[in-house]
Amino acid sequence: MSNKFRKKQKITYLKERAVLSDTLPYEIPAIFSNRYFYRFLVNNKIKIHDSEIIFDNTNPDIIEILKLILNVNIDNSRVLFQKRERNIPFTFKIAHKKNDFRNLSLIHPLNQLMVVDFYDTYKDSIRYFSNQSEFSIRKPFKIAKNRYINSYLQKQKKGKTTHSKIEMHGKEEEHLKSFFTYKKYSNIHRFFESYEYQRCEKKFDKLYKFDINKCFDSIYTHTIAWALLNKEIVKDNLDKKLDATFAGKFDKLMQNMNYGETNGILIGAEISRIFAELILQKIDKNTQNKLRQKGYFHKTHYEIFRYVDDYFIFYDDEQVKDKIIETFKHELKEYNLYVSDTKTIEFVKPIITDLTIAKTKITDLINENFSYKIKENATADEKQWTISLRSDSVITRFKIIVKETNIEYKDILNYSIATIEKRFLKIIGKLENSDNQHLYMDMFVSFTIQLLDFLFFIYSVSPRVTSTIKIVSLVSKLLEFIKDDRSFNKVLKKYQVELIYKKIYDEIFQILKKNKLKEYTQNETLYLLLTLNELGKDYRLDSDEIEKYFFDPENKFNLNYFSIVTLLYYIKNINRYINIKMKLLECIENKFTNCNKDNLKKNTELTLLLMDLMTCPYINPSNKNRFLFLNGIADSTIQNKIITFSLKQKYWFIKWQDFNLAEEIEMKKSQEVYS
């Protein structure tokens, strides 16, 4: 986000805010958030104390909610969670590489509450152990005290009194990027553009890049104690009071949120990156010490930077590089970690990657084609500018750049879409400030349709969740401007609006038609369904098309939680989707009945689904009672208490109504870790 549009706001410290920033993957659907779970914790003063959960007991019905959402036990009015800490995470898959996927996980609400307590207790220890390595360029530094908002989007919304804006007032802490501030770079691309990187290019002739093979999947949770204490001491005293240490507590926390697993840690949440960081800090330090003993000194013979599990080694002498890699491999092996031999890359001056070359060429392409131009012999009259675009020509040149630089579409897609969005917003700003908007509308509509044609073409080659979010970001802002009564809505003719809407609909429809829902990748296009919802009733998908996309005719797999709630949000109570609703209800019932009864409340996916069904306005009371019954709650009085409490809570995780896509996407983009 440009600094021009970044506005800093002070925030207050509330320990519960860890559930907003550090327990969720970035790639979750926009209608999902922990915002209302956070309010539930804060408003009811829910926290962990020793082996109990303490809460405001002025509302006795909260007991039933706590039993349901946190999977806790009630013993003589004491809410106990011990022996219930091990829960089954909701693991979902997203497209990663060609014909491959990555597992991401959502943590059970009880384990998220445990993260809150852990951060509050050990925040200083996290900061201390995160500052041992000279190599790390992304590490927790201090507790975040400010948040940054997009003042450009706020400017567009100024004067509006939507429900969502009123609701956000006074909730600044709910939009944190992270619990901690990070030193030095929160995003890898900032490192590539930094003075440090350029200084090393001047100082050294060569760069060697490598990463750790399946780092998070390979981490053995007990190695946190090896890193923070001492491997030999830990192994000799495995049963002696280690559980009471910071390392022992962190180890146990990571195990509990992954159903007791010690091999591998969950991928997606920031807390997992912190856990890995503490282990890698020790490996960095050991490596540097061993190299020093061999006569090789950091910032003299070499310079190393590590961003999460990606290493960058600047050097001159091949012998120095070989010793560094040899030492790293030895130290990593001590922690059951290994260098990924397939991802090592060497560069010699000029140190420039194919990706950097591609970005430079694509930036030139975008500057040339996606900006307004002043007409020749123009005067100061603001009417003397123009915009035009031929998507076929730009698509051809884009493909040539990809081919010439030997990169893949997925490598450049996010950058290209984000850069085009910035240019497009400038064009919209130019139009908004014009006193003669009506003179430019035909030109603007033509340009917009060509722009959408180009964007959806490059996106369709390799859809990913992150690139989908960027596409939806641009489209949602476009729709906001079109609908704004203070600007374009006044001058755009109905046929012009319909041309843009139909283009968006047609492009999304083709993406959905081409990319049928799969068992392993259900998140990639859910954002597109949310975008279609913004177009209104005239641009709704046919029931048959939804069925073809979402439902497997051979019943080889079931929809996951995200697909179920996103589809429920889209079809609402619309009559034409009655058959879809019946299939969804059947799917939900099957998910509950097919789960082992002992695991129902341990199962994160089913817990989140059940809670959201209680607040869903598109599920009737009898079905809500039925779903509670399937979860072991047969008493109608208790069922009514749970439903009544949930309706007062309004939402748990899914925002069923008053949803503003542009605002939610903008907040989500501020939390992006990798771009």
Side-chain angles (χ1 to χ4, degrees):
M1 188 190 302
S2 170
N3 289 333
K4 179 181 178 182
F5 298 127
R6 282 166 59 87
K7 181 179 178 183
K8 185 167 76 172
Q9 289 188 348
K10 278 278 188 182
I11 55 174
T12 55
Y13 171 72
L14 285 175
K15 64 181 183 179
E16 292 83 3
R17 75 190 210 196
V19 303
L20 297 167
S21 57
D22 284 50
T23 62
L24 301 178
Y26 171 74
E27 293 85 351
I28 54 179
I31 58 171
F32 180 101
S33 80
N34 265 354
R35 195 177 306 146
Y36 303 96
F37 179 54
Y38 164 82
R39 294 183 196 179
F40 170 69
L41 296 178
V42 172
N43 293 342
N44 295 286
K45 301 176 183 177
I46 299 168
K47 57 186 177 181
I48 289 176
H49 179 69
D50 295 331
S51 61
E52 292 185 64
I53 292 177
I54 309 300
F55 61 96
D56 180 356
N57 61 3
T58 54
N59 184 350
D61 294 346
I62 196 176
I63 290 287
E64 300 302 333
I65 295 293
L66 291 175
K67 288 164 65 176
L68 200 61
I69 195 171
L70 298 181
N71 182 28
V72 291
N73 190 26
I74 309 296
D75 183 11
N76 297 323
S77 297
R78 298 170 67 210
V79 181
L80 307 175
F81 67 89
Q82 283 188 326
K83 297 185 179 179
R84 293 177 181 256
E85 305 103 315
R86 289 187 175 185
N87 291 296
I88 305 167
F90 168 39
T91 298
F92 59 99
K93 296 172 172 64
I94 62 169
H96 180 43
K97 300 173 187 174
K98 189 174 183 179
N99 300 320
D100 194 11
F101 53 81
R102 169 177 284 169
N103 284 324
L104 299 178
S105 297
L106 262 179
I107 304 166
H108 192 280
L110 173 62
N111 298 114
Q112 294 193 43
L113 183 60
M114 294 171 70
V115 170
V116 169
D117 179 61
F118 182 81
Y119 269 30
D120 189 49
T121 305
Y122 294 110
K123 54 185 177 291
D124 292 331
S125 297
I126 290 173
R127 291 166 57 207
Y128 173 78
F129 285 110
S130 294
N131 284 276
Q132 306 301 303
S133 166
E134 288 187 43
F135 301 163
S136 179
I137 57 173
R138 187 192 184 276
K139 52 192 175 185
F141 179 57
K142 58 185 179 180
I143 296 171
K145 295 293 175 65
N146 299 302
R147 75 180 186 111
Y148 294 87
I149 60 172
N150 188 336
S151 57
Y152 187 92
L153 192 61
Q154 276 205 339
K155 177 185 174 184
Q156 304 306 320
K157 302 293 289 180
K158 190 175 181 181
K160 291 189 177 183
T161 55
T162 61
H163 177 84
S164 59
K165 183 168 183 179
I166 295 170
E167 185 178 66
M168 305 315 279
H169 180 71
K171 302 291 182 181
E172 290 85 1
E173 74 280 1
E174 293 185 7
H175 310 298
L176 291 168
K177 184 174 183 179
S178 58
F179 185 88
F180 296 99
T181 57
Y182 282 77
K183 188 179 180 182
K184 304 174 182 176
Y185 305 103
S186 60
N187 188 293
I188 186 65
H189 296 298
R190 292 183 180 177
F191 168 59
F192 295 144
E193 297 163 358
S194 69
Y195 169 76
E196 268 186 308
Y197 188 90
Q198 294 173 357
R199 175 181 55 78
C200 283
E201 283 188 287
K202 294 176 184 176
K203 184 176 179 181
F204 298 99
D205 290 334
K206 301 173 183 177
L207 168 64
Y208 186 87
K209 179 183 179 301
F210 73 90
D211 68 9
I212 299 170
N213 186 46
K214 297 183 177 179
C215 181
F216 285 31
D217 291 321
S218 303
I219 286 176
Y220 179 50
T221 63
H222 292 331
T223 58
I224 190 72
W226 305 355
L228 305 189
L229 301 172
N230 177 284
K231 185 175 180 179
E232 287 71 28
I233 292 175
V234 170
K235 287 200 166 190
D236 290 341
N237 299 272
L238 196 58
D239 300 323
K240 298 180 181 178
K241 299 183 179 179
L242 283 176
D243 288 349
T245 65
F246 165 62
K249 294 283 188 183
F250 210 168
D251 178 5
K252 184 63 71 174
L253 179 70
M254 299 304 288
Q255 288 182 50
N256 286 336
M257 66 176 62
N258 196 17
Y259 203 36
E261 286 289 335
T262 57
N263 291 315
I265 60 175
L266 299 180
I267 300 174
E270 180 60 33
I271 189 169
S272 292
R273 283 185 281 273
I274 290 175
F275 187 84
E277 178 66 27
L278 301 194
I279 295 170
L280 295 176
Q281 288 256 335
K282 182 65 172 181
I283 292 170
D284 291 351
K285 193 172 182 180
N286 288 348
T287 299
Q288 186 176 355
N289 289 339
K290 294 285 177 64
L291 289 169
R292 187 185 298 116
Q293 292 168 12
K294 296 172 183 176
Y296 303 114
F297 295 93
H298 189 229
K299 297 190 177 181
T300 301
H301 299 98
Y302 67 91
E303 195 152 349
I304 296 176
F305 301 91
R306 176 178 55 77
Y307 183 90
V308 190
D309 62 342
D310 288 326
Y311 284 86
F312 304 87
I313 304 171
F314 287 92
Y315 66 100
D316 288 321
D317 191 330
E318 283 294 318
Q319 183 178 348
V320 172
K321 184 260 288 182
D322 291 342
K323 285 294 182 184
I324 292 171
I325 299 304
E326 176 187 305
T327 308
F328 259 120
K329 286 184 175 180
H330 174 77
E331 294 302 320
L332 285 166
K333 189 176 180 181
E334 289 292 304
Y335 290 81
N336 301 321
L337 299 173
Y338 300 89
V339 170
S340 176
D341 292 328
T342 61
K343 293 185 180 179
T344 59
I345 309 174
E346 296 184 60
F347 301 97
V348 179
K349 273 187 176 178
I351 300 174
I352 187 166
T353 66
D354 291 340
L355 183 59
T356 301
I357 295 170
K359 281 186 175 180
T360 302
K361 291 186 175 184
I362 285 171
T363 300
D364 292 340
L365 179 66
I366 290 170
N367 286 340
E368 182 181 343
N369 291 278
F370 295 87
S371 303
Y372 63 84
K373 298 176 177 63
I374 304 298
K375 290 182 179 179
E376 291 184 13
N377 304 318
T379 64
D381 187 344
E382 58 94 25
K383 288 186 290 185
Q384 301 297 308
W385 62 273
T386 183
I387 49 172
S388 63
L389 178 67
R390 281 188 55 196
S391 63
D392 55 350
S393 172
V394 180
I395 286 170
T396 299
R397 291 177 61 187
F398 189 90
K399 290 192 291 186
I400 290 171
I401 292 170
V402 171
K403 186 76 172 178
E404 287 179 341
T405 54
N406 197 34
I407 62 166
E408 295 182 41
Y409 273 87
K410 68 178 181 62
D411 298 326
I412 200 66
L413 197 54
N414 288 347
Y415 173 81
S416 301
I417 299 171
T419 305
I420 289 171
E421 181 182 320
K422 289 178 185 177
R423 300 293 187 278
F424 192 49
L425 290 178
K426 285 185 178 180
I427 291 170
I428 288 175
K430 180 75 173 174
L431 274 171
E432 283 204 310
N433 293 324
S434 170
D435 293 328
N436 300 287
Q437 290 179 356
H438 63 283
L439 298 177
Y440 297 97
M441 283 302 103
D442 283 333
M443 182 171 59
F444 170 75
V445 171
S446 176
F447 177 84
T448 299
I449 288 172
Q450 293 291 310
L451 178 144
L452 291 170
D453 195 53
F454 171 76
L455 283 178
F456 277 99
F457 174 85
I458 62 173
Y459 166 77
S460 67
V461 176
S462 181
R464 298 288 190 276
V465 175
T466 52
S467 54
T468 306
I469 291 171
K470 285 181 165 51
I471 281 276
V472 172
S473 173
L474 187 152
V475 173
S476 64
K477 289 191 180 79
L478 169 63
L479 295 176
E480 285 273 293
F481 292 122
I482 289 174
K483 295 174 184 178
D484 192 342
D485 291 337
R486 297 169 297 118
S487 57
F488 289 8
N489 192 264
K490 292 180 179 178
V491 290
L492 272 172
K493 297 180 176 65
K494 185 178 179 181
Y495 82 89
Q496 293 173 321
V497 172
E498 288 178 349
L499 282 172
I500 294 174
Y501 276 28
K502 188 174 186 308
K503 181 63 177 176
I504 294 170
Y505 174 87
D506 288 345
E507 293 293 347
I508 291 178
F509 179 77
Q510 287 303 316
I511 296 291
L512 295 177
K513 191 174 180 180
K514 178 182 175 182
N515 299 280
K516 298 293 185 184
L517 198 69
K518 301 173 185 175
E519 179 181 6
Y520 299 122
T521 52
Q522 297 187 26
N523 267 35
E524 276 67 14
T525 49
L526 293 180
Y527 279 86
L528 299 180
L529 199 64
L530 296 175
T531 306
L532 282 181
N533 190 71
E534 298 291 306
L535 299 179
K537 63 181 181 180
D538 294 333
Y539 295 91
R540 288 200 159 271
L541 290 170
D542 289 338
S543 180
D544 289 345
E545 295 300 333
I546 292 178
E547 189 163 346
K548 286 178 187 176
Y549 180 75
F550 277 95
F551 294 97
D552 173 24
E554 298 179 8
N555 292 318
K556 291 181 179 178
F557 68 89
N558 289 319
L559 298 179
N560 71 19
Y561 161 65
F562 287 145
S563 293
I564 289 171
V565 293
T566 304
L567 189 49
L568 263 177
Y569 171 82
Y570 183 77
I571 68 173
K572 300 178 173 53
N573 284 324
I574 299 170
N575 287 334
R576 74 166 84 167
Y577 299 135
I578 187 66
N579 291 333
I580 301 295
K581 174 72 74 67
M582 297 302 294
K583 280 180 172 288
L584 268 181
L585 293 175
E586 181 183 354
C587 175
I588 293 167
E589 178 149 345
N590 288 339
K591 290 185 84 70
F592 290 135
T593 55
N594 292 339
C595 180
N596 184 308
K597 299 302 178 187
D598 294 333
N599 290 339
L600 269 172
K601 292 182 181 177
K602 299 177 187 176
N603 189 304
T604 302
E605 179 182 17
L606 299 186
T607 297
L608 300 179
L609 178 59
L610 180 63
M611 299 310 298
D612 283 323
L613 291 172
M614 295 302 103
T615 59
C616 180
Y618 316 121
I619 299 293
N620 64 44
S622 63
N623 281 321
K624 293 181 181 183
N625 290 332
R626 171 67 177 164
F627 296 142
L628 287 169
F629 176 81
L630 293 175
N631 279 267
I633 302 167
D635 189 317
S636 60
T637 303
I638 295 177
Q639 290 178 355
N640 290 334
K641 285 181 179 180
I642 291 170
I643 294 171
T644 301
F645 190 102
S646 296
L647 292 175
K648 288 180 180 177
Q649 166 76 12
K650 191 170 184 181
Y651 307 121
W652 285 111
F653 302 95
I654 299 300
K655 190 171 186 181
W656 295 109
Q657 295 174 314
D658 304 314
F659 175 77
N660 186 297
L661 182 60
E663 287 182 0
E664 295 294 339
I665 290 290
E666 201 58 42
M667 287 187 285
K668 174 169 283 293
K669 283 168 61 184
S670 73
Q671 296 174 323
E672 186 172 19
V673 178
Y674 308 104
S675 69

